[in-house]
Each structure stands twice: as C-alpha cells, then as structure tokens.
Amino acid sequence: MTREIELRPLTATAFAPFGDVLEPDGQPDKMINEGNCGRFHDRARLFFGPGGEAGISIFDAGARELPYRFDLVERHPLGSQAFLPMGGTRSIFIVCPDEDGVPGAPLAFLGNAGQGVNILANTWHGVCTPLDDRGVYAVVDWIGSEPNLQEYRFDAAWTVVG
Amino acid sequence: MTREIELRPLTATAFAPFGDVLEPDGQPDKMINEGNCGRFHDRARLFFGPGGEAGISIFDAGARELPYRFDLVERHPLGSQAFLPMGGTRSIFIVCPDEDGVPGAPLAFLGNAGQGVNILANTWHGVCTPLDDRGVYAVVDWIGSEPNLQEYRFDAAWTVVG
C-alpha cells in the first residue's frame, strides 16, 4: 500500500462525512447591516458534550511544507472542533474514516485562505497544519476537565504530496 | 460635542469592558501537536442564553473606508458574538458603553489581520466593518428563534477618522 496522499480541494461535499467547510458559499441566507453584509447562517454541526461547554481558543502553529510527513492523528469524543484560520494562510486538513475504533487511510484537503472547517466530534484528524507560513487559528471546541483527547500513531508514516 | 472618533489600537485591556481580543498574546497556556503549536486556552467570555445555542455563521461584508460615517449600532441580549476575520483583512470594531439602556459615545478600535474579538452579550456595537477590503468573518453567536437584535440609531452620525 502506498503511503502517499494526494492533496485534494476542500469542498463541502467531499468533506461532509468528516465535518463542515466554513466559507461564504453560494447565496447568503440573509442580508444584514443595511445590505452590506451577507449572513451564511449556522453552518457548523457543533456538539459540546456533557461536563463542559463551548469555548474559543487561539492556536499559533508553525509552518509546514509539502511533502508533509506525519504519523499522528487524534480525535475528541466530547465535542466538535472548528479551525478558523485568521491570518490568511492556507492549511492542510487531514481526516480519516474510523474503522472499528482506529483510523483508516487518511485524506488530505487543501484549505485556502478564508476557508475554515468544523470537524465533527469523535472524527480522526491531523494536527494543526498551516502550509508554508505560520498559522493563527481561532478554535471553537469543548472546554472541560474530563479527558477529551485520543491519539493514534500509525505504524508507518504517511506523506502528503502536492 | 464633536462627532469624530479617533481610531485606537485594539488591546485586551482597552477592549475588556466590551469583550475579548482573540489573538496569540503572550505565552501560550500549553504547547500541543508535539511542540509545534501553542494553545491560548479558552480566551472568550462566551454566553448563550436560554432558548438557543452556540453556532458558527459566516459573514461576508463589503469594504469600508476611512473616514467611516455611521449612525447605527446594535446589541444582542441573548448572547455574546465573536467576529473572527478569516481572510487577512483589517477591521474597525466599534463599541459603546451603555447609558441607561441607550448607547453612549462610541469608541473605535482598529483590528489588524489576525485579531478577532468576542463582544459580550448585551453590549452595543457597530456593524461588521472590514477596512479597505471585503471581509469574511466566522461569527460565533447565539442561534435561536427568539428576537435577539436591538438596534439604535443616533440622532446624528459619527465619523471614525484614522
């Protein structure tokens, strides 16, 4: 089995099994601010499990480059996790289907500047991966004191190629 | 009374009575992702009132320029509202102290690329105001069916100057 992953475009349809793409896509649900602003309403399937609540944190992540090699993914059983890039950087969003409690072969999506994602609760995903530049992200996720991080290390590394 | 407002720097201290500045400021609370990413943990005073819940929407707002003239502000009694600029644009964030249920003289803060804000529930604020370029924002606010918008129009317009 090849361990190379082709980077694919980040589209709502392709990403839907893993989460939501957050961008102004299509027609806004309504115009606000006296017609100057389109509101695309309630576009994320958020979940915040018991014992905690929604919070906003800031992630400041070092640049990664292609080819990007990794062997670690993680998931959060207690809540969804949205990554909202704030500085205009591009991102690699890596996700995996679940196969009986362990991650299957990863997929890698290229997020352009202005594209965020919301990753569904309990969905395997890669770490924060800004492409070519340092990336600052607002992260909306579950805040609480119970353990909410499951990590999985693959036996062999995967490599995302351009 | 002058109706001109000087644009001031967006700092956590100056903005605190109205909300939170969301940016990587100071030392991260912890390092994650094998040391590649700083997490500034739970930095927003979120509130989502009864009858609704947290959601993420996308705002796509037309460019504004200085001097920026406005007479309309608004507030949301049922929840906080975070504006997270996604494309690298700068923003003007306008807020007002409350004076017996009506807004007092506005303040205008210049948000640089990579600076978001969370506006506290029931706090008077201006509409979405990207500076010089179109702005795309992820907005974290209360989603529900009850009325959550109070608007106030000043008798005379204010002008934000650079």
Side-chain angles (χ1 to χ4, degrees):
Chain A
M1 179 170 66
T2 177
R3 308 294 284 191
E4 287 200 346
I5 308 169
E6 293 280 340
L7 202 48
R8 62 184 72 197
L10 179 60
T11 65
T13 303
F15 199 71
F18 309 101
D20 312 294
V21 178
L22 299 171
E23 63 180 336
D25 182 33
Q27 290 300 308
D29 297 291
K30 64 174 167 177
M31 295 303 296
I32 59 174
N33 299 172
E34 302 181 302
N36 191 60
C37 182
R39 180 173 178 131
F40 301 78
H41 187 71
D42 196 16
R43 292 296 175 103
R45 287 169 283 172
L46 300 182
F47 171 71
F48 305 106
E53 58 192 359
I56 303 178
S57 300
I58 302 296
F59 284 17
D60 186 357
R64 309 283 198 171
E65 291 181 354
L66 293 176
Y68 171 63
R69 192 177 158 88
F70 72 97
D71 62 3
L72 181 68
V73 294
E74 60 185 47
R75 65 178 178 178
H76 310 292
L78 293 176
S80 53
Q81 187 173 45
F83 291 90
L84 306 163
M86 289 214 294
T89 37
R90 300 186 301 161
S91 309
I92 304 172
F93 297 115
I94 292 166
V95 289
C96 312
D98 183 73
E99 296 181 352
D100 296 324
V102 297
L107 287 74
F109 294 88
L110 173 62
N112 288 316
Q115 282 190 310
V117 298
N118 175 60
I119 293 173
L120 300 178
N122 219 28
T123 296
W124 295 109
H125 60 277
V127 302
C128 205
T129 311
L131 184 57
D132 295 332
D133 289 304
R134 165 195 169 212
V136 173
Y137 299 80
V139 174
V140 180
D141 67 0
W142 181 92
I143 304 287
S145 57
E146 291 167 56
N148 187 31
L149 172 64
Q150 295 178 5
E151 289 182 322
Y152 183 90
R153 200 173 290 274
F154 288 99
D155 290 339
W158 298 87
T159 302
V160 180
V161 294
Chain B
M1 178 170 66
T2 177
R3 310 292 285 190
E4 287 201 346
I5 308 169
E6 294 279 340
L7 203 48
R8 63 184 72 198
L10 180 62
T11 66
T13 303
F15 199 72
F18 310 102
D20 313 294
V21 178
L22 299 172
E23 63 180 337
D25 182 34
Q27 289 301 307
D29 297 291
K30 63 175 168 176
M31 295 304 296
I32 59 174
N33 299 171
E34 303 181 302
N36 191 59
C37 181
R39 180 174 178 130
F40 301 78
H41 186 71
D42 195 16
R43 293 296 175 104
R45 288 168 282 170
L46 300 182
F47 170 70
F48 305 106
E53 58 190 359
I56 303 178
S57 300
I58 303 296
F59 284 15
D60 186 357
R64 308 283 197 171
E65 290 182 354
L66 294 176
Y68 170 62
R69 192 177 159 89
F70 71 97
D71 63 2
L72 181 69
V73 293
E74 60 184 48
R75 66 177 177 178
H76 309 293
L78 293 176
S80 54
Q81 187 172 46
F83 290 91
L84 306 163
M86 288 213 295
T89 38
R90 299 187 302 161
S91 309
I92 304 172
F93 296 115
I94 293 167
V95 289
C96 313
D98 183 72
E99 296 181 353
D100 296 324
V102 297
L107 287 74
F109 293 88
L110 174 61
N112 289 316
Q115 282 189 309
V117 298
N118 176 59
I119 294 173
L120 300 178
N122 219 28
T123 296
W124 295 109
H125 61 278
V127 302
C128 206
T129 311
L131 185 57
D132 295 332
D133 289 304
R134 165 193 170 212
V136 174
Y137 299 80
V139 173
V140 180
D141 68 359
W142 181 92
I143 304 287
S145 57
E146 290 167 56
N148 187 31
L149 172 63
Q150 295 177 5
E151 290 182 321
Y152 182 89
R153 200 173 289 275
F154 288 100
D155 289 338
W158 299 87
T159 302
V160 181
V161 295

